[in-house]
Amino acid sequence: MNLREYITTFIDPDFRGKIPFRHTSKRYTKHQIITDFEQIEASIYFLRQGIVEVNINSESEIKILDFFFAHSFFCSYSSLLTHTPSDVQIVAVTECIVEAIRFEDLKKAYHHSLIANQLGRIETERLYLRKVKREKQLLTQSSEAQYLTLLAEHPEVIAQLPVNKISRYLGIRPESLSRIRKRIIS
Amino acid sequence: MNLREYITTFIDPDFRGKIPFRHTSKRYTKHQIITDFEQIEASIYFLRQGIVEVNINSESEIKILDFFFAHSFFCSYSSLLTHTPSDVQIVAVTECIVEAIRFEDLKKAYHHSLIANQLGRIETERLYLRKVKREKQLLTQSSEAQYLTLLAEHPEVIAQLPVNKISRYLGIRPESLSRIRKRIIS
């Protein structure tokens, strides 16, 4: 799915015009850093293909805060909006193909374009809900329940992510994840 | 500041048109519940005057999650967007005057109105940043630092909020807050 298809599928089925901001295809190799800690985020990315992870430095340990999968937008959004150094790092987990949109270009479009604002609004609503959901998950769900949620929503995770990444996302050791997996299968 | 003044101050200084959705003035008395737990949120509120608190039920204890002050938008936003029962309760801390906007009316405006989408996008960006900031504060700041942040950003809090509300927001006992206050003054 490319950006235009995404817009006609999720934002406005009647959209026929020109996309009102520049977007550039980029390819990242597996393990390549897309946005680093302390970098000021300047772009928003539409993930056409692949998986990225969002890492955070918590008590001198790198934890996985989130994963993004194909056909979604990602970036270090707080850094982008406030023009401050990023406290997260975004890394390609698999080879990734993205459409990069410079925030400068998007901001210009925000002045006059209905579709740019609809896209920005809807994607920000999604990020907001994601944040609320993840927060609630962390506060209330056991690792096993979190794993089941991830499995239900993104079965491709199991096929494409190594065990140590999933366990770092769940905040548990790989051996504990193995035990959870065995329990679920049996 | 009314809704139109808010829009020309914070969204688009050139906006001259008609506000593209209905908004109705309402008055809430002190302690009145605006949105209750388990209610499905159907409106967004622009707070013209007063202070509201957002409460959450955490381990069978009501905690204050957030305060909103005059000239900001509030509602149980997850409930509104996902049409699910609210897990927060919104209460008038002081007498409040609001402009209530039915989400049904706003959604219609989102189909065609640039200013409605700009407003929706920018307010959602603010809520997102607020969520990120509060989360970071909870994870990293001491109660004293959180109190100082609240004091610096909203000095009116001290004048208008009782000690027990501030301490419930900070997650500490009123006596601990008194000690913090004494330490700061001395």
Side-chain angles (χ1 to χ4, degrees):
Chain A
M1 185 182 274
N2 64 25
L3 193 51
R4 167 169 297 277
E5 287 160 351
Y6 184 86
I7 289 173
T8 53
T9 308
F10 294 111
I11 312 295
D12 178 6
D14 298 326
F15 178 68
R16 296 285 178 278
K18 192 175 169 296
I19 293 176
F21 43 77
R22 270 199 307 174
H23 48 101
T24 317
S25 276
K26 281 189 184 177
R27 186 180 294 265
Y28 290 94
T29 56
K30 191 172 169 173
H31 302 317
Q32 197 178 343
I33 292 171
I34 302 172
T35 302
D36 209 353
F37 290 119
E38 302 301 319
Q39 184 182 326
I40 292 178
E41 183 67 277
S43 295
I44 292 168
Y45 302 91
F46 175 68
L47 188 56
R48 289 188 60 168
Q49 206 176 295
I51 303 177
V52 302
E53 65 184 15
V54 182
N55 296 321
I56 192 156
N57 213 325
S58 163
E59 292 153 9
S60 70
E61 185 193 359
I62 307 276
K63 284 188 186 159
I64 300 178
L65 197 65
D66 218 342
F67 293 111
F68 284 86
F69 300 92
H71 312 146
S72 58
F73 285 88
F74 70 88
C75 73
S76 179
Y77 201 38
S78 299
S79 171
L80 183 96
L81 291 175
T82 59
H83 205 71
T84 53
S86 176
D87 56 1
V88 297
Q89 180 196 53
I90 305 177
V91 182
V93 176
T94 61
E95 193 187 61
C96 287
I97 300 173
V98 305
E99 295 287 327
I101 301 156
R102 301 281 305 170
F103 190 40
E104 282 309 311
D105 294 335
L106 186 60
K107 274 198 285 193
K108 278 178 202 151
Y110 278 162
H111 283 301
H112 59 81
S113 161
L114 181 63
I115 194 79
N117 279 284
Q118 287 172 323
L119 180 66
R121 174 179 58 76
I122 291 169
E123 293 307 320
T124 309
E125 287 171 2
R126 290 211 176 121
L127 283 176
Y128 175 85
L129 289 176
R130 210 179 158 101
K131 198 128 205 82
V132 170
K133 191 173 165 189
R134 179 81 171 121
E135 187 185 47
K136 208 182 287 177
Q137 222 181 47
L138 285 171
L139 285 170
T140 61
Q141 282 193 348
S142 68
S143 311
E144 183 162 331
Q146 283 182 50
Y147 178 69
L148 286 171
T149 303
L150 190 66
L151 203 63
E153 294 178 357
H154 295 287
E156 68 273 32
V157 165
I158 305 310
Q160 296 190 49
L161 289 184
V163 169
N164 73 319
K165 291 242 176 263
I166 302 174
S167 61
R168 265 170 57 214
Y169 170 79
L170 297 171
I172 57 176
R173 289 184 310 171
E175 309 87 80
S176 309
L177 179 57
S178 298
R179 273 198 298 277
I180 290 176
R181 284 181 156 184
K182 271 184 208 143
R183 226 176 10 242
I184 291 169
I185 293 165
S186 68
Chain B
M1 184 181 274
N2 64 26
L3 193 50
R4 169 170 296 277
E5 287 159 350
Y6 184 88
I7 290 174
T8 54
T9 309
F10 295 110
I11 312 297
D12 178 5
D14 299 325
F15 179 68
R16 297 283 177 280
K18 191 174 170 298
I19 293 176
F21 42 79
R22 270 200 308 174
H23 48 102
T24 316
S25 275
K26 281 189 186 177
R27 185 180 294 263
Y28 290 95
T29 56
K30 191 171 170 174
H31 303 316
Q32 197 177 341
I33 292 172
I34 302 172
T35 303
D36 209 353
F37 290 120
E38 302 301 319
Q39 183 182 327
I40 292 178
E41 182 68 276
S43 295
I44 292 168
Y45 302 91
F46 175 69
L47 189 54
R48 290 189 60 169
Q49 207 177 296
I51 303 177
V52 301
E53 66 184 15
V54 183
N55 297 322
I56 190 156
N57 214 325
S58 164
E59 291 152 10
S60 70
E61 185 194 357
I62 307 277
K63 284 186 186 160
I64 300 179
L65 197 65
D66 218 342
F67 293 111
F68 284 85
F69 300 92
H71 314 147
S72 58
F73 285 89
F74 70 87
C75 73
S76 179
Y77 202 38
S78 300
S79 170
L80 183 97
L81 291 175
T82 60
H83 204 70
T84 52
S86 177
D87 56 2
V88 297
Q89 179 196 53
I90 305 178
V91 181
V93 176
T94 61
E95 192 188 62
C96 287
I97 300 172
V98 306
E99 295 288 326
I101 302 155
R102 301 282 304 171
F103 191 41
E104 281 309 313
D105 294 334
L106 186 60
K107 275 198 285 193
K108 278 179 202 148
Y110 278 161
H111 282 300
H112 59 81
S113 160
L114 181 62
I115 196 77
N117 279 281
Q118 287 172 324
L119 181 67
R121 173 179 57 77
I122 291 170
E123 294 308 319
T124 310
E125 288 171 1
R126 290 210 176 120
L127 284 176
Y128 176 85
L129 290 176
R130 210 180 159 101
K131 199 129 205 80
V132 169
K133 191 172 164 191
R134 178 80 170 122
E135 186 184 47
K136 209 182 287 179
Q137 223 181 45
L138 284 172
L139 285 171
T140 62
Q141 283 192 347
S142 67
S143 310
E144 184 163 332
Q146 281 182 50
Y147 178 68
L148 287 171
T149 303
L150 190 66
L151 204 60
E153 294 178 356
H154 295 288
E156 69 272 33
V157 164
I158 305 309
Q160 296 191 47
L161 289 184
V163 170
N164 74 319
K165 290 241 176 265
I166 303 176
S167 62
R168 263 169 58 212
Y169 170 78
L170 298 171
I172 58 179
R173 288 185 310 171
E175 309 89 77
S176 310
L177 179 57
S178 298
R179 274 198 297 278
I180 291 177
R181 284 180 154 183
K182 274 186 202 138
R183 221 169 23 236
I184 291 168
I185 294 164
S186 68

